[in-house]
Amino acid sequence: MTSLISLHQLKADKKRDVFRIGISQFITHQSLDATREGFVDELAKQGYVEGENIEIDLQNAQGEQRNLKTISQQLAESSDVVLAIARPSAQSLANTTQTTPVIFSAVTDPVSAKLVESREHPGGNVTGTSDQSSDAISTQINLIKKVLPKAKTIGILYTQSEPNSVVQKDEAKRLLKEKGFTVVEKTILDSNNVKAAAESLMAEVDMVFVPTDNIISLTMETVKQVSIKHKVPVFGGSTEMIAVGGLYNY
């Protein structure tokens, strides 16, 4: 809805037949790809079709922070509105422009990311949607007790440098401890040490919880293979993780 409102406003302001929509995607994996595809599909449903009345410029940083500054500058200058997929892309664009409308998605906590003043009143030129549900993690924790009633020690695998993951990790850890579980954390630095971190963690836990983490989503096949080896189930933070090899998601 936010994206369509922005386009309607641009139509009123600029009186043009074709609008330029930029998309800054931080990395390629199923969850973020689905976000982009859903955005484009909904635009088409509302009458905004690429090649007819909109032009879409997709830029992918391939998980490299150093690529974001150039991408953000380019899209902010050439686009009428920009979709930022994932927190790093959104923050880079927010720091680049105070005039071009920016819509973010796949961001867990836009307030702590300093993208908006509040969820109710974002302010400025940046707005969007959060992938954080008030009861999603709580529901996932309850599912763990139902699906694995004998589990006592739960591992959490996440990327320390991804604030979205840290927010979810902290919430999951708090809820798990309230339920009486022992919690073991294991962080990863990048995709190169996912296997080693997963091996170490799964050697000492009954199951593993993974938040919606970009690096782990990208390497979920590796996590799946370690899970099979150790016979330790993985609860994924997104449905796309389940398609690759996670056990459960809500």
Side-chain angles (χ1 to χ4, degrees):
M1 178 63 72
T2 304
S3 60
L4 300 180
I5 291 173
S6 297
L7 287 177
H8 287 314
Q9 290 172 338
L10 287 167
K11 185 174 183 179
D13 292 342
K14 300 195 175 183
K15 305 296 184 183
R16 284 197 280 100
D17 293 328
V18 178
F19 300 98
R20 297 182 297 267
I21 300 176
I23 300 179
S24 175
Q25 183 170 330
F26 179 57
I27 198 169
T28 299
H29 65 67
Q30 286 185 322
S31 293
L32 301 191
D33 291 348
T35 296
R36 183 191 72 245
E37 292 163 2
F39 176 79
V40 174
D41 288 347
E42 185 59 30
L43 286 174
K45 290 178 183 178
Q46 299 296 328
Y48 296 98
V49 180
E50 185 175 12
E52 295 182 9
N53 52 3
I54 61 172
E55 296 174 354
I56 296 178
D57 183 359
L58 170 62
Q59 300 287 332
N60 193 312
Q62 300 300 334
E64 297 290 344
Q65 291 277 354
R66 63 177 179 268
N67 294 335
L68 287 174
K69 184 175 181 179
T70 300
I71 289 173
S72 296
Q73 289 174 338
Q74 177 183 332
L75 293 180
E77 291 173 1
S78 64
S79 305
D80 295 312
V81 61
V82 183
L83 171 67
I85 305 177
R87 179 170 175 151
S89 293
Q91 288 179 316
S92 179
L93 277 159
N95 291 332
T96 298
T97 179
Q98 284 73 52
T99 54
T100 302
V102 176
I103 303 161
F104 60 78
S105 188
V107 173
T108 299
D109 188 351
V111 178
S112 69
K114 301 187 185 305
L115 295 173
V116 297
E117 295 174 6
S118 71
R119 291 174 183 263
E120 295 77 17
H121 303 286
N125 63 310
V126 181
T127 188
T129 59
S130 168
D131 58 11
Q132 183 179 38
S133 169
S134 59
D135 63 352
I137 294 179
S138 176
T139 302
Q140 289 173 333
I141 301 306
N142 289 332
L143 280 173
I144 291 173
K145 291 188 71 69
K146 291 181 179 180
V147 177
L148 299 169
K150 295 182 180 180
K152 296 181 179 180
T153 304
I154 310 299
I156 303 178
L157 185 67
Y158 68 101
T159 305
Q160 179 64 48
S161 61
E162 288 196 25
N164 284 356
S165 296
V166 175
V167 168
Q168 295 172 72
K169 180 270 297 183
D170 289 342
E171 178 68 3
K173 182 178 180 180
R174 180 184 67 81
L175 292 170
L176 285 166
K177 286 190 171 184
E178 286 181 359
K179 296 290 186 180
F181 291 107
T182 298
V183 179
V184 179
E185 299 178 33
K186 188 67 66 174
T187 62
I188 62 172
L189 300 176
D190 53 42
S191 59
N192 294 319
N193 77 319
V194 169
K195 183 177 181 180
E199 290 272 10
S200 174
L201 182 61
M202 292 186 194
E204 54 181 315
V205 300
D206 299 316
M207 65 82 57
V208 172
F209 172 79
V210 178
T212 52
D213 183 294
N214 289 313
I215 298 298
I216 297 178
S217 292
L218 186 64
T219 57
M220 195 62 190
E221 179 64 32
T222 297
V223 175
K224 180 184 79 171
Q225 295 303 323
V226 178
S227 170
I228 293 171
K229 174 183 175 181
H230 288 271
K231 298 181 180 180
V232 173
V234 175
F235 274 56
S238 69
T239 54
E240 289 76 18
M241 286 181 174
I242 307 309
V244 177
L247 171 65
Y248 224 113
N249 168 263
Y250 171 78

